[in-house]
Amino acid sequence: MKSDPKKILLHLDGINKVYQDGVLKVHALHDINLAVEPGEFVTIMGPSGSGKSTLLHILGCLDHPTTGRYLFDGEDTSKYSDHKLAETRNKRIGFVFQSFNLLLRETATENVSLPLMYAGATGIEARAKKALAQVGLAERTGHRPGQLSGGEQQRVAIARAIVKQPDVILADEPTGNLDTGVGANIMNVFKDLNADGMTIILITHNPEVAALGGRMLRLKDGKLRAD
């Protein structure tokens, strides 16, 4: 895909990732080139072991490539200090995982408030409730995870990801623990967020889920097979 360099939000240039296991080298990613513009909805599909999670970890500044460059909004992340990496993850990237990672004793509002509390933000409760309303949980703000369905818990997790108004959401198998109908509803939440301008990158092994994004990539054996 050809993109205007001035409009690229995430740019992977010749990314390779090699893990060393004793004398054995495992090549998780091979020469990945990818440009994502603001407002895109990209799905990344591939079987287990294809490199999807490794790719997402690099995009989320959770891991470093062995070789190649990753530019976040035009800046080379290899030059980031540890503080800059943490700041980027905390303020500019929202994460959604297959397991919801909610605190069981906290209400939906309190779970969504956590990133704002860590950032020392103001107007925390109002912002958390606004984010919950965005994902259709305006009437469930005082409920704890045990009082919510699986789909509702994932909506809380999505609200937690968007409450800081990040540049991009990275979602790792967000429908993996949900049945087909509930998963479709969660994908509709992502589609609505994307329609409002949010950049989303979502990995999945499910072709039906992958087809719901605006642009689908396929990974096999650590190589980008299609775009």
Side-chain angles (χ1 to χ4, degrees), residues 171-184:
D172 189 355
E173 297 280 9
T175 63
N177 284 339
L178 306 172
D179 63 37
T180 302
V182 175

Side-chain angles (χ1 to χ4, degrees), residues 10 30 37 43 64 94 106 113 120 133 144 147-148 153 155-156 164 166-167 172 189-190 221-222:
L10 310 176
H30 298 263
E37 296 179 359
T43 56
H64 300 283
E106 306 296 330
S113 295
R144 291 179 172 80
Q147 300 170 308
L148 301 171
Q153 290 184 58
R155 286 174 185 254
V156 173
K164 298 173 296 182
D167 294 288
D172 189 355
V189 173
F190 283 117
D221 299 327

Side-chain angles (χ1 to χ4, degrees), residues 87-114:
E87 184 179 53
T88 300
R89 289 191 298 265
N90 292 338
K91 295 183 178 180
R92 306 194 67 182
I93 302 171
F95 296 93
V96 179
F97 300 100
Q98 179 174 346
S99 55
F100 317 128
N101 296 336
L102 301 178
L103 298 179
L104 299 181
R105 295 184 179 181
E106 306 296 330
T107 65
T109 298
E110 290 166 340
N111 269 283
V112 175
S113 295
L114 286 174

Side-chain angles (χ1 to χ4, degrees), residues 188-211:
N188 285 334
V189 173
F190 283 117
K191 289 170 70 175
D192 289 344
L193 292 171
N194 180 246
D196 288 337
M198 178 65 70
T199 306
I200 298 171
I201 300 179
L202 183 151
I203 72 168
T204 181
H205 66 276
N206 187 330
E208 294 181 359
V209 171

Side-chain angles (χ1 to χ4, degrees), residues 110-130:
E110 290 166 340
N111 269 283
V112 175
S113 295
L114 286 174
L116 298 175
M117 293 174 63
Y118 293 142
T122 59
I124 290 176
E125 183 175 353
R127 290 171 64 180
K129 288 183 176 180
K130 180 179 178 181

